[in-house]
Amino acid sequence: MPKRSRGSPPETFDLANIRFTEVTRATRGGFETLFEQPGAPKYCWCMAWRQSGREHAQSDEKKRRMMALIDASTPVGIAAELDGKTIGWCSVAPRETYRKLSKQQDDGESGVWSIVCFYVPRVLRGGGLASALLDAAIDHAFAKGARIIEAYPVSEASPSYRFMGFRDMFASRGFREAGMAGSRRHVMRLEH
């Protein structure tokens, strides 16, 4: 993927040519390649919000734990592919596979899926890939039986948690505000 300097426009691509796939044992190779490239969140392996994701574990331990979830057929998320190359990621899975995501969370509620993070390489940011990942994540969760999709985005001015997406991106798709998770993260829900 070509590098770009700060402030230059994102690499252009046709969103219609992007394919979205669930990350499974059969498809995890592209996910691994995406997370191992320079600038990727290999320090996290998208384990920060997972039940088994010890916060202070080393990167290789987090990767091992993520691969164990995938090997156990636990839903972990979807990947975006273009021309056979994985170019983006969204963590979308049943809420019970994550640790508690907000204080008002009702753990007795069933059929809730959570969208907790996105990864789009810097060179592709600003081209609509995160929005396309969100649309695909919504379709994926509802196809897998979700009754409600919950997300925890921030306002664009937020200095942290930006990997969780931006509030307006969710609001424009019909997500409704249901509260706050901490001082920055909005709890937003979409019902099927």
Side-chain angles (χ1 to χ4, degrees), residues 134 153-156 165-174 188:
L134 175 55
V154 297
S155 299
E156 285 202 43
F166 296 121
R167 185 191 175 288
D168 291 348
M169 183 170 78
F170 288 88
S172 70
R173 284 155 178 83
M188 300 188 76

Side-chain angles (χ1 to χ4, degrees), residues 2-49:
K3 293 195 185 254
R4 70 182 176 111
S5 61
R6 240 177 212 278
S8 63
E11 183 178 317
T12 58
F13 53 90
D14 185 356
L15 290 173
N17 293 328
I18 295 176
R19 191 174 131 234
F20 299 94
T21 58
E22 180 176 11
V23 175
T24 64
R25 270 183 263 169
T27 64
R28 78 180 192 189
F31 168 73
E32 285 183 81
T33 300
L34 177 70
F35 270 64
E36 289 173 346
Q37 70 184 351
K42 59 183 150 266
Y43 55 86
C44 176
W45 281 96
C46 210
M47 290 300 294
W49 298 107

